[in-house]
Amino acid sequence: MKFLFACSERGKPFETEAFSLVDNRGVKQDEEGNRYLDARVRLAEPCPFCGKIHEYPAWELSCPFGPEEQKG
């Protein structure tokens, strides 16, 4: 499954499925009852724009599933 990332050096978006979860502390809930994944996502391959391995908080990434895929 491909996720959409943005190069933190150049601000350009790119898709890749070469990533892994790190520092995964599971699903948490905030004060309003919203659930989120408390983890970081690290690229497994260098960024196509700057050549660095970026790491992002999981909550910064867009959900790869649209409303139709979430049903069921």
Side-chain angles (χ1 to χ4, degrees):
M1 169 185 340
K2 289 186 178 182
F3 271 47
L4 179 64
F5 296 92
C7 174
S8 56
E9 299 285 318
R10 305 227 169 100
K12 294 184 177 187
F14 62 97
E15 288 185 335
T16 184
E17 55 190 9
F19 63 87
S20 61
L21 283 179
V22 295
D23 299 329
N24 187 353
R25 295 181 182 97
V27 176
K28 302 283 175 96
Q29 190 168 333
D30 65 17
E31 293 85 27
E32 288 98 37
N34 299 308
R35 296 174 61 167
Y36 65 95
L37 180 61
D38 185 10
R40 298 191 61 76
V41 178
R42 181 181 297 150
L43 295 180
E45 297 176 352
C47 170
F49 298 109
C50 72
K52 294 182 179 178
I53 299 290
H54 298 303
E55 191 171 301
Y56 309 85
W59 59 266
E60 282 186 0
L61 302 176
S62 299
C63 180
F65 303 106
E68 293 302 313
E69 289 90 352
Q70 291 180 14
K71 293 179 183 175

